[in-house]
Amino acid sequence: MNEGVNRQFYLHRRPTGRPTAEEVRRRDAPVPQPAEGQLLVRNYYLSLDPAIRGWMSAEPSYLPPIALGDPIRATTVGEVVESRHPDFAPGEFVVGLHAWEDYSLSDGTFLMKVPADGKYPLHYYLSILGAVGLTPYFAITETAEIRRPGETLLMSAAAGAVGSVGGQIAKILGCRVVGIAGSDEKCAWITEELGFDAAINYKTCGDLVKAIADACPEGVDIYFDNVGGAILDAALLNMVHGGRIVFCGAISAYNGDGKVPGPLNWWQVLARALTVRGYLVSDFFPRWPEGIAQMSRWLDEGRIRFREEIHRGFENTLEVFLELFDGANTGKLIMDIRED
Ligand SMILES: NC(=O)c1ccc[n+]([C@@H]2O[C@H](COP(=O)([O-])OP(=O)(O)OC[C@H]3O[C@@H](n4cnc5c(N)ncnc54)[C@H](OP(=O)(O)O)[C@@H]3O)[C@@H](O)[C@H]2O)c1
């Protein structure tokens, strides 16, 4: 990293499928200076999340699309290096919504201080003590409405960052948990090491509706949807009367052209009196400290396991990001951009 230079990946054109270096380009910009009420963060780690692909599209979402010419938005953890903001001082570490760049300006919105006790590595605040832990934590404790012990929770992208942690939280809270993942190795990991009760490899199982029925003989009480598409359709045909669907993500559609047909089996929402709830972890931002405290306790007690895949080198960011859509990642994807 050269002093005075802010390396950035920025959105040059909106991608229609997988983003390439044609649409997401590299440039060197000057390091910005904070105005009154702002602070400057030097980013250490970038979080690579499927949602970033959605923000590259023009479709309206829970955040505005990334503007053409703007750096690619991402959650980062870094150090405050300059501050003209009353609540933040140089030397403090923060996690916030910034970008694929060395230095980001912030006005303090959606910015959280990371405890300075050094108990956990900084990158944990992008994974287990960040969205990876808190997304399933609030989704399962607040949105899924577990009603009785032994309910069956079906998790898609179950070996992914959110899914693998979510399945373990549901187990702690007394559910029977069945995961859907894209390889035998992933299925073995979630059942043998994470304690899921059963797993389905959706790429080799054949009839997915039947595979879910076999793995969930009493039906699915709660479907935790990270994927949408054909897996959602198969889950809909296995829901119990009064079942609940937590709509957390739709990764199967993120690299498409934006014209996603509704679920073919949507009628089942009526026929089975289902509750479908859209879920955003950001809605729980004021309660993140409470979620971090609980996730830390479970972590310290050895009740939650997780995997991180930390890649080094800012220049590799786009290439590593695309692993998310190939199923190639085996843990939370993080870039360490401090050195190349
Ligand atoms: N609502 C919220 O507040 C919130 C917050 C964070 C994340 N999310 C969502 O949670 C989901 C998981 O995110 P994550 O960061 O934990 O990613 P991740 O699960 O670590 O990685 C994505 C995984 O999804 C699976 N996948 C990719 N394309 C697929 C397809 N076409 N069909 C089925 N599975 C596919 C792949 O695993 P396989 O090998 O199993 O295919 C891949 O490894 C995403 O949809 C994300 O947008 C939502």
Side-chain angles (χ1 to χ4, degrees):
M1 194 176 81
N2 293 327
E3 285 305 312
V5 171
N6 191 19
R7 298 173 301 174
Q8 296 179 321
F9 279 96
Y10 69 100
L11 190 61
H12 174 66
R13 240 179 13 217
R14 298 206 183 277
T16 46
R18 291 163 62 88
T20 68
E22 275 309 297
E23 293 107 14
V24 177
R25 292 192 175 173
R26 258 281 285 122
R27 72 182 167 208
D28 287 341
V31 176
Q33 293 302 306
E36 195 55 41
Q38 290 185 324
L39 58 137
L40 183 67
V41 178
R42 183 185 163 198
N43 295 314
Y44 284 19
Y45 296 99
L46 312 180
S47 173
L48 301 188
D49 300 300
I52 295 170
R53 174 60 186 84
W55 302 332
M56 293 178 190
S57 302
E59 280 73 39
S61 181
Y62 56 97
L63 286 177
I66 300 169
L68 293 179
D70 274 5
I72 303 298
R73 184 188 297 140
T75 308
T76 73
V77 63
E79 181 181 355
V80 179
V81 288
E82 276 184 66
S83 181
R84 298 180 68 190
H85 189 292
D87 299 335
F88 297 90
E92 291 182 320
F93 288 96
V94 288
V95 59
L97 199 54
H98 297 133
W100 291 1
E101 59 187 358
D102 289 310
Y103 292 94
S104 299
L105 285 176
S106 170
D107 63 4
T109 308
F110 277 119
L111 194 68
M112 191 180 70
K113 288 186 195 180
V114 169
D117 58 12
K119 181 173 177 194
Y120 302 107
L122 272 184
H123 47 81
Y124 274 30
Y125 293 92
L126 294 183
S127 63
I128 194 68
L129 302 179
V132 169
L134 302 180
T135 298
Y137 175 76
F138 289 112
I140 289 171
T141 56
E142 297 288 334
T143 307
E145 282 184 24
I146 298 171
R147 290 178 185 159
R148 55 178 172 79
E151 282 196 318
T152 297
L153 183 142
L154 179 68
M155 176 71 73
S156 54
V162 166
S164 61
V165 174
Q168 295 174 81
I169 294 173
K171 282 297 294 178
I172 291 172
L173 298 179
C175 291
R176 178 171 184 275
V177 179
V178 176
I180 302 177
S183 75
D184 289 345
E185 186 275 334
K186 290 183 179 185
C187 288
W189 180 60
I190 61 175
T191 50
E192 291 164 20
E193 293 189 38
L194 304 189
F196 283 49
D197 295 282
I200 299 165
N201 180 341
Y202 72 94
K203 291 183 178 163
T204 58
C205 69
D207 181 347
L208 183 59
V209 177
K210 181 172 181 310
I212 296 173
D214 290 345
C216 307
E218 293 175 23
V220 175
D221 296 286
I222 300 164
Y223 173 50
F224 193 118
D225 189 13
N226 287 312
V227 165
I231 297 180
L232 169 60
D233 268 320
L236 279 165
L237 291 175
N238 280 286
M239 300 300 296
V240 301
H241 186 94
R244 286 132 279 150
I245 296 179
V246 179
F247 182 17
C248 179
I251 193 169
S252 69
Y254 294 170
N255 272 333
D257 59 5
K259 298 185 181 68
V260 182
L264 294 173
N265 297 324
W266 184 243
W267 178 253
Q268 298 304 321
V269 174
L270 181 156
R272 297 172 195 237
L274 306 178
T275 303
V276 182
R277 289 178 73 181
Y279 166 80
L280 283 175
V281 66
S282 48
D283 285 350
F284 292 87
F285 188 70
R287 291 179 56 193
W288 278 32
E290 166 198 329
I292 291 174
Q294 181 58 71
M295 292 308 298
S296 318
R297 274 195 292 276
W298 284 333
L299 201 57
D300 295 347
E301 292 164 5
R303 300 181 79 185
I304 294 279
R305 294 193 193 185
F306 68 105
R307 283 178 175 169
E308 292 174 324
E309 230 186 272
I310 301 181
H311 294 254
R312 291 190 168 69
F314 184 77
E315 306 298 341
N316 303 323
T317 303
L318 177 61
E319 193 183 320
V320 173
F321 172 66
L322 292 174
E323 277 192 18
L324 283 169
F325 306 96
D326 299 334
N329 65 308
T330 54
K332 166 68 194 162
L333 277 183
I334 293 173
M335 293 305 297
D336 177 349
I337 63 164
R338 287 169 298 174
E339 292 166 18
D340 271 314

